[in-house]
């Protein structure tokens, strides 16, 4: 036990002291901060207003199109389209909107001229304005009062609530999915990044020829486990440092620049949908966004964090140990990194499949059969189960999955140690699967 | 007393037998040569002794006890394929390897200091292994092998890769360790390189032991009572006690190999020669281990 501890220490310390580790550890939170600051900063500088010239030949929209804070409307005095175009050419306005004589029942032929491509946003907003105006005119024509109609419209936001034994909790599908996906992505990348480090470490020991010196002092199994555990420590250290540093950096940036958190993609999507439903939404956008925000933060605070974090650590370590020992075995079986491809393939396939499935099938139907089986089978469970957990997984399933994961990594570690003890002393021989399977039962 | 008793060890791999019922003793406090051509089974035997692999049958006794894992820390092993962690500093590396052999950090640090002083390598301690020359790396590796003061030191092809100066340094260290009570096993296919160092040897060929015992005894057994004489004059041997095997003459200087027959002593030959020619040199022609090995192998195959 003392020896394995020495090995763990060496594996850990040599990696943590590496420049690449230190750079990665400190750079990532800075990049994260940059991701926050740069869009916010860009938003403040690119707050230029769009100016649109309007040539209204129909006369329907005169005075009706109003300038907004960042979208200015300049009506063009009556004249031909050609004249207007020429006038537009001389300005640096965003676009020229041409409304020909219109049939209210069939509004066609409206054109937007611009020197550069206009942004979608400007186009949508103009379309919205025109649609609304045409609708109003149609209402008037059919004798319906616009204000009356507005009063009759209903606007509903549903709050989703989880009914469980522990009581009612506000939930948010986006938050729930997000929390799981984040955990799954982190596990996926850590298994890959650090699994490959194990493999490289073993290959390094083999090519350095230190391995025979080592195993005349310690057992091959100790050497392998020491490396796996040591590198796990490196991974956890890096992860914790990222969490801590990110919190500090993000907090610092927020305080320094006084920016609100940029809206998450979820909020932007919701805001987008609301925008599409028309003007009313725009009017209530402010309040709705506020309510979305509170809903999201409510849902976040209602996630079961201890459970989520506990499961994350378990699946993080379990998945890492399961795959890590296999990566170690690959390292032992080959002489150099270029030979690893054929053995890497079967290991990476279940990882990649579970990663892809987790944000497609699993997220859409977290209680479906695919999600269920993939979260039970040890090779896919570390990633898939993380996605399912925020949606609520029965304790029995969770225990089954965890139990199988433990059995799984005991099994892969056994296989790996068998391959390892033969492989590390084998040089200059191209290994295939048949050879590898023989090693499992060699008496050494 | 023997420090290591190898008793009927057999080791088979998938399609060949590496060791076939090999038995011999290694006396404590000697330098023991484990000799044989490449692929004879030397490294397989060493790996069994160092418990990297296990024997299929047969036993090994270390200081009279059946070999067990705790014996590992009383052995030092320098494998033929040498290597160190390239990115580690010399001092850290030595400390690490010594601790893995069971030394405490304090003991290890003290020993390292001792060796650093002996090899005068203080300025290397903070260098990375990859920045050292090959010879320096070998020295570090040798230190790592003997740092924990094992009573059995196993060196596989120890001089390959050493320049003559460092090879001599290592030779002196080996003799010093032997004088301090350690037993050293040399494994090599270059038999002439260890002849003058070894007290005892075992010859292995094609997974079988061919011969073992103290070098002097073996040489006595295989010596042919042949002497080489160089001198001036016309050599004509007519005595029935001596047989001339070979004779060359050049400008009155002759060189001859003469064998003693039935109980004649070297002095008899010398006396006989002095009366007839001027003797400049008189040396016993002792067979080299290499010669003995070749003879023995031939015998085994012809028998």
């Amino acid at each position: 036990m003392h020896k394995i501890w020495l090995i763990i220490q060496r594996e850990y310390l040599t990696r943590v002291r590496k420049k690449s580790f230190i750079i990665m550890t400190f750079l990532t939170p800075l990049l994260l901060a940059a991701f926050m600051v740069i869009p916010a900063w860009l938003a403040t500088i690119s707050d230029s207003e769009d100016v649109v010239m309007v040539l209204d030949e129909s006369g329907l929209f005169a005075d009706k199109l109003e300038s907004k804070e960042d979208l200015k409307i300049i009506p063009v005095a009556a004249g031909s389209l050609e004249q207007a175009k020429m006038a537009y050419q001389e300005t640096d306005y965003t676009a020229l909107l041409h409304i020909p004589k219109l049939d209210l029942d069939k509004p066609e032929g409206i054109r937007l001229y611009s020197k550069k491509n206009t942004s979608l946003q400007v186009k949508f907003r103009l379309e919205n304005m025109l649609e609304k105006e045409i609708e109003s005119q149609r209402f008037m024509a059919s004798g319906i009062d616009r204000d009356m109609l507005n009063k009759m419209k209903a606007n509903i936001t549903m709050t989703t609530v989880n009914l469980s034994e522990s009581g009612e909790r506000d939930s948010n599908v986006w938050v729930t999915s997000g929390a799981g996906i984040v955990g799954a992505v982190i596990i996926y990348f850590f298994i890959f990044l650090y699994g490959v480090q194990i493999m490289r470490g073993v290959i390094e020991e083999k090519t350095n020829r230190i391995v025979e010196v080592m195993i005349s002092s310690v057992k091959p199994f100790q050497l392998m486990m020491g490396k796996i555990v040591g590198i796990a420590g490196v991974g956890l250290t890096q992860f914790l440092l990222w969490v801590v540093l990110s919190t500090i950096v993000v907090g610092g940036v927020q305080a320094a620049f006084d920016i609100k958190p940029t809206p998450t993609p979820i909020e932007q999507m919701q805001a987008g949908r609301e925008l599409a439903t028309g003007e009313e939404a725009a009017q209530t956008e402010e309040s709705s966004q506020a309510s979305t925000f509170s809903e999201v933060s409510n849902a976040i605070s209602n996630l079961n964090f201890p459970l989520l974090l506990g499961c994350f650590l378990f699946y993080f370590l379990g998945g890492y140990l399961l795959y890590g020992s296999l990566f170690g075995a690959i390292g032992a079986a080959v002489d150099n990194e270029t030979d690893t491809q054929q053995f890497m393939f079967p290991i990476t396939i279940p990882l990649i499949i579970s990663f892809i499935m987790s944000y497609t099938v699993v997220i859409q139907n977290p209680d479906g059969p695919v999600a269920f089986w993939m979260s039970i089978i040890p090779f896919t469970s570390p990633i898939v189960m993380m996605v399912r957990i925020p949606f609520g997984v029965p304790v029995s399933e969770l225990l089954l999955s965890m139990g199988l994961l433990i059995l799984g990594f005991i099994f892969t570690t056994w296989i790996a140690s068998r391959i390892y003890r033969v492989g590390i002393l084998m040089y200059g021989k191209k290994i295939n699967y048949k050879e590898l399977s023989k090693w499992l039962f060699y008496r050494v | 007393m023997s420090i290591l008793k190898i008793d009927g060890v057999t080791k088979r791999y998938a399609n060949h037998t590496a060791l076939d019922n090999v038995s011999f003793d290694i006396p404590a406090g000697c330098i023991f040569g484990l000799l044989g051509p490449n692929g004879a089974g030397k490294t397989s035997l060493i790996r069994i002794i160092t418990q990297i692999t296990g024997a299929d049958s047969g036993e090994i006794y270390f200081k009279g006890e059946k070999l067990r894992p705790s014996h590992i820390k009383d052995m030092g092993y320098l494998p033929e394929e040498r290597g160190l962690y390239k990115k580690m500093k010399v001092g850290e590396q030595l400390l690490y390897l010594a601790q893995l052999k069971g030394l405490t950090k304090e003991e290890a640090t003290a020993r390292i200091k001792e060796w650093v002083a002996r090899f005068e390598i203080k300025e290397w301690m903070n260098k990375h292994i990859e920045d050292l020359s090959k010879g320096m790396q070998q020295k570090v590796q040798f230190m790592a092998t003997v740092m924990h003061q094992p009573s059995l030191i196993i060196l596989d092809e120890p001089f390959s890769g050493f320049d003559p100066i460092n090879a001599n340094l290592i030779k002196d260290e080996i003799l010093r360790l032997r004088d301090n009570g350690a037993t050293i096993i040399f494994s090599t296919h270059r038999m002439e390189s260890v002849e003058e160092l070894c007290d005892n040897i075992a010859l292995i060929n094609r997974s079988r032991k061919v011969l073992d015992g103290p070098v002097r005894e073996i040489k006595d057994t295989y010596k042919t009572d042949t002497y080489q004489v160089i001198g001036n004059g016309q050599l004509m041997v007519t005595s029935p006690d001596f047989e001339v095997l070979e004779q060359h003459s050049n400008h009155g200087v002759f060189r001859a190999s003469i064998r003693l027959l039935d109980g004649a002593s070297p002095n008899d030959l010398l006396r006989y020669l002095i009366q007839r020619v001027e003797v400049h040199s008189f040396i016993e022609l002792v067979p080299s281990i290499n010669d003995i090995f070749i003879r023995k192998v031939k015998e085994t195959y012809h028998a």
Side-chain angles (χ1 to χ4, degrees), chain B residues 46-65:
Chain B
I46 289 174
R47 283 184 179 172
I48 292 169
I49 297 170
T50 52
Q51 301 180 46
I52 290 171
T53 57
D56 291 333
S57 63
E59 285 296 343
I60 291 180
Y61 300 90
F62 181 72
K63 293 182 173 172
E65 298 168 356

Side-chain angles (χ1 to χ4, degrees), chain A residues 2-4 6-11 14 17-18 201 204-205 207-220 223 227 421 425-427 429 438 442-444, chain B residues 11 13-14 43 47 50-57 69 72-73 75 77-88 92-93 96-97 99-103 141 156:
Chain A
H2 173 66
K3 286 181 182 175
I4 207 166
L6 283 171
I7 297 169
I8 292 171
Q9 276 182 318
R10 194 202 83 88
E11 297 291 340
T14 49
R17 277 196 233 135
K18 265 192 198 158
E204 189 205 348
E205 278 172 353
T207 49
N208 274 358
R209 310 275 166 157
I210 186 154
V211 72
E212 200 167 346
V213 176
M214 291 299 294
I215 59 171
S216 66
S217 305
V218 300
K219 291 203 180 66
L223 186 57
K227 186 177 288 294
R421 75 204 164 125
L425 291 173
M426 196 78 76
Y427 290 104
K429 201 171 166 188
K438 273 193 212 155
Y442 265 3
R443 235 165 58 88
V444 168
Chain B
K11 174 79 185 169
Y13 289 109
T43 302
R47 283 184 179 172
T50 52
Q51 301 180 46
I52 290 171
T53 57
D56 291 333
S57 63
I72 281 295
K73 62 172 181 286
M75 296 183 190
Y77 173 36
L78 181 71
E80 182 180 1
E81 299 288 1
R82 269 155 250 178
L84 296 160
Y85 287 109
K86 290 206 167 68
K87 305 267 177 209
M88 267 178 119
E92 288 174 355
Q93 178 110 29
Y96 177 56
L97 292 174
Q99 279 182 287
L100 283 180
K101 282 290 184 189
L103 293 190
Q141 187 120 41
D156 201 351

Side-chain angles (χ1 to χ4, degrees), chain B residues 150-162:
Chain B
S151 47
L152 181 66
I153 299 165
I154 303 171
L155 310 172
D156 201 351
E157 301 291 355
F159 299 121
S160 68
F162 271 111

Side-chain angles (χ1 to χ4, degrees), chain A residues 12 17 37 49 69 117 134 151 154 171 179-180 228 237 255 260 264 291 293 311 334 350 355 364 378 389 404:
Chain A
Y12 179 81
R17 277 196 233 135
V37 172
E49 53 172 16
E69 198 179 317
N117 285 332
I134 292 171
K151 274 180 202 154
S171 70
I228 291 175
T237 308
K260 275 194 265 177
T264 61
S291 85
F293 189 72
C311 286
V334 300
F355 183 59
Q364 281 162 19
I389 285 171
L404 284 176

